[in-house]
Amino acid sequence: LSSTGHPAEALRQALEAYAADSLHPLVLVALGDAYILNGDTTKGLAVYQRAGELSPPWQPYYAAALARVGRVADARRVLASVDTLHMNPGKALFLGVAHGTLGDMDQAFHWFAYQPEHAWLPWVRVWPGLDSLRRDPRFPALLRHLNLTPLAS
């Protein structure tokens, strides 16, 4: 709902999900997305931060959100604290998203190449904040690897 032009309904449903399970990181991320899309950056970032505290693989997602709202130094500080020795596909995906949002393309593509890749990797084609990644000359090769076509301009 958030990405289809219904941010108020997305927030209503995210709050409903939060009432049912306030500790599930995916519920928190959906709520953070809804807050951000409804213009409440403060609440959105606080919810993303909580998701990262509950489940460390979500810390880079919080960093990406900080970068999207212009808090680049804070985003880099969060990224510096991420444990990259104990990786998993989700953490690698979100590290790629965070670095892509910050414009660190080499790092973004490094993490997008992590194997096994996360099932959500194809979403980089439309993920908010990754416009500069989509302009990178390596992006078409990533799309081909994922069996996707570029977005129409």
Side-chain angles (χ1 to χ4, degrees):
L1 289 170
S2 296
S3 62
T4 60
H6 299 93
E9 179 63 13
L11 180 57
R12 187 190 69 72
Q13 288 190 18
L15 286 167
E16 204 172 282
Y18 180 78
D21 187 352
S22 63
L23 297 177
H24 194 289
L26 194 51
V27 169
L28 292 170
V29 167
L31 181 58
D33 288 346
Y35 276 133
I36 296 283
L37 288 167
N38 278 278
D40 196 335
T41 302
T42 302
K43 282 184 182 176
L45 291 175
V47 173
Y48 290 139
Q49 183 176 17
R50 181 71 177 136
E53 290 167 354
L54 290 171
S55 180
W58 287 95
Q59 289 171 336
Y61 195 89
Y62 172 49
L66 288 165
R68 277 198 327 265
V69 300
R71 292 179 50 187
V72 172
D74 291 332
R76 292 195 185 284
R77 189 185 74 255
V78 170
L79 279 179
S81 73
V82 173
D83 173 14
T84 56
L85 295 177
H86 301 94
M87 288 305 299
N88 63 53
K91 192 189 300 185
L93 171 67
F94 299 138
L95 279 166
V97 169
H99 283 289
T101 304
L102 286 164
D104 301 333
M105 297 309 147
D106 290 342
Q107 283 295 306
F109 282 98
H110 167 79
W111 291 113
F112 291 148
Y114 181 85
Q115 293 295 316
E117 61 194 35
H118 194 280
W120 295 354
L121 182 57
W123 284 100
V124 299
R125 183 174 176 248
V126 295
W127 208 298
L130 293 180
D131 291 338
S132 59
L133 180 88
R134 289 186 277 275
R135 290 189 295 271
D136 189 283
R138 294 168 285 190
F139 192 68
L142 177 61
L143 289 180
R144 283 190 301 278
H145 168 74
L146 298 169
N147 293 318
L148 296 172
T149 57
L151 292 172
S153 306

